[in-house]
Amino acid sequence: MFCAIGVMMKILFCQLRNHGDIIRIFPLIDAIKKQYPNWIIGFTCFKEMVDLCKLNTNIDIIIPQPRLKPVIDTQGETRVLDCSIFTSTIEAVRKENFDLYVDLHGVFQSALFGSLSHIKKCLGRSSETTKDGASLFYTDIASVMDSEINRMERHFKIINHLYPEIKPIIKKRRISRNVLIFPGSSKMGVLKRWPIGYYIKLSKMISNHKVIFVLGPEELDLYDILVENNIKNIIISHNWQELDKILADTTLVIGNDSAYIHFAVWRNVAAIMICGPLSPVVNGIWKYGQGSTVFYKKRCKCKYLWQGKCDNNHVCLDLIDVDSVFEQVKLYI
């Protein structure tokens, strides 16, 4: 374990993608900065995640990295992996002289990147919850054998392997006048959507608050449906900066298992997550956040979730009734 007291550290975190996965690291970064405000926090991710990372002002250095290309060339029967695409990025990392690399993604590229960076300490989780042999690259391994653990909690479990004193920040709930509904998802995650008609019915049950539907750029297919159902308050959010401003005047957000809900939890806005095919434990509202996770006891397995194919007619979401969600909503408005 490092002797952290009075020592300035430079830590480089890695989570290559996606938006929701990166947002769920923000509470850890905030907690580190509160405990050790003089520490320097770096973050490496894919280029398209950089704008999101900029919203966390506790991240001091953001280093985008390219994607490894699939292996298509062979010499005899030997696979050839071209790592030259990392050259300029690795040089930039080495110049920063980081003390610790923390791989929160746990795949081959994220683990390899830490090894190439010549950072003396590389921390990751054990082989039970990593992929591609990633744990072979680490100098320090946090034992995380159970995959059914909330992602935000898992990140603290990893850092606590070296720094047990770093704990989640407990904040008071943000209270305002608006209720936001996020009925969409990414194009690949359409099976995570609760039926739009259910959201419309729910919105009409909420009184004494202004209910606003918020659509991201990948959810515009829902716009005409909302208009046809006489929904007047619709906001189309084009980027995370806009979304952050919208949340500033919000008392509750309601939505699917998506990055929007994780963002609200990070910003300390109460949230109702309607969780479908993915684990409500892993993806749901963590115990230090404000809000509730609503889910049907029988989840669809959805082997081809990201291809839009369901193995059980979407019952894990269709059978979550509006009244049960409204009962949770009443706890926060």
Side-chain angles (χ1 to χ4, degrees):
M1 182 186 300
F2 289 137
C3 180
I5 300 176
V7 178
M8 195 279 281
M9 293 286 297
K10 289 186 74 172
I11 303 178
L12 179 62
F13 287 93
C14 179
Q15 175 68 46
L16 301 176
R17 57 173 178 87
N18 292 309
H19 293 107
D21 293 325
I22 288 176
I23 291 166
R24 284 183 282 181
I25 297 171
F26 290 172
L28 172 61
I29 291 171
D30 295 344
I32 292 173
K33 276 289 192 174
K34 182 179 181 180
Q35 183 82 22
Y36 299 111
N38 64 324
W39 285 13
I40 304 299
I41 303 296
F43 203 102
T44 181
C45 56
F46 289 146
K47 184 178 180 180
E48 59 268 28
M49 301 292 123
V50 168
D51 284 344
L52 174 62
C53 291
K54 289 178 180 178
L55 286 177
N56 190 325
T57 57
N58 284 322
I59 298 177
D60 302 291
I61 304 166
I62 302 173
I63 302 175
Q65 60 174 281
R67 295 172 182 264
L68 275 175
K69 297 179 180 179
V71 176
I72 56 175
D73 188 21
T74 60
Q75 294 178 359
E77 296 182 353
T78 302
R79 292 162 59 86
V80 179
L81 181 64
D82 183 7
C83 294
S84 63
I85 61 170
F86 286 141
T87 301
S88 60
T89 309
I90 290 296
E91 289 175 353
V93 171
R94 290 177 181 175
K95 289 178 181 178
E96 293 291 344
N97 294 314
F98 287 102
D99 301 294
L100 173 65
Y101 180 79
V102 183
D103 180 13
L104 296 177
H105 200 144
V107 297
F108 176 71
Q109 174 163 338
S110 58
L112 174 66
F113 190 86
S115 181
L116 293 174
S117 298
H118 291 176
I119 300 172
K120 291 183 179 180
K121 287 271 188 178
C122 290
L123 171 64
R125 59 188 186 270
S126 51
S127 60
E128 292 83 3
T129 54
T130 55
K131 296 179 180 179
D132 315 322
S135 60
L136 295 173
F137 292 87
Y138 308 141
T139 62
D140 292 79
I141 298 176
S143 178
V144 183
M145 302 179 68
D146 186 4
S147 60
E148 282 290 299
I149 179 175
N150 185 277
R151 284 287 183 268
M152 289 181 176
E153 294 182 44
R154 187 176 79 180
H155 300 328
F156 277 87
K157 185 177 178 68
I158 293 169
I159 204 68
N160 287 161
H161 179 76
L162 295 178
Y163 302 108
E165 71 278 10
I166 295 173
K167 304 298 181 184
I169 301 171
I170 308 299
K171 299 178 181 179
K172 290 184 178 180
R173 177 186 160 202
R174 187 187 290 183
I175 299 177
S176 188
R177 63 188 181 90
N178 294 332
V179 173
L180 302 186
I181 292 180
F182 294 87
S185 64
S186 66
K187 289 181 179 178
M188 291 180 61
V190 292
L191 287 181
K192 297 195 294 180
R193 293 181 180 182
W194 199 41
I196 186 62
Y198 292 11
Y199 279 116
I200 293 169
K201 181 179 178 181
L202 178 66
S203 70
K204 295 176 180 179
M205 297 169 68
I206 300 173
S207 58
N208 301 322
H209 287 77
K210 182 179 181 180
V211 179
I212 303 171
F213 281 78
V214 183
L215 302 177
E218 295 187 48
E219 300 144 10
L220 298 182
D221 58 299
L222 299 175
Y223 181 82
D224 289 342
I225 300 174
L226 294 175
V227 172
E228 289 169 3
N229 282 272
N230 203 33
I231 300 298
K232 303 296 185 183
N233 299 316
I234 306 172
I235 294 176
I236 298 175
S237 178
H238 298 283
N239 55 57
W240 290 101
Q241 290 76 14
E242 287 182 358
L243 177 62
D244 205 21
K245 292 178 181 178
I246 296 169
L247 282 174
D249 195 24
T250 300
T251 195
L252 175 68
V253 301
I254 308 165
N256 308 311
D257 170 8
S258 71
Y260 302 129
I261 300 298
H262 300 312
F263 196 92
V265 172
W266 171 56
R267 285 306 199 196
N268 208 41
V269 178
I272 305 295
M273 175 188 283
I274 303 170
C275 197
L278 298 182
S279 169
V281 175
V282 173
N283 298 318
I285 311 298
W286 74 326
K287 61 184 178 182
Y288 299 101
Q290 302 285 341
S292 305
T293 307
V294 181
F295 59 95
Y296 184 64
K297 59 183 178 180
K298 184 177 180 181
R299 283 163 42 203
C300 303
K301 297 178 181 178
C302 293
K303 181 179 179 181
Y304 299 102
L305 168 66
W306 305 114
Q307 287 79 42
K309 299 178 183 178
C310 179
D311 68 300
N312 200 24
N313 296 319
H314 208 238
V315 298
C316 61
L317 282 164
D318 290 355
L319 293 183
I320 298 175
D321 64 275
V322 176
D323 288 339
S324 65
V325 176
F326 185 60
E327 286 302 309
Q328 294 300 311
V329 170
K330 288 191 294 185
L331 299 175
Y332 301 97
I333 60 174

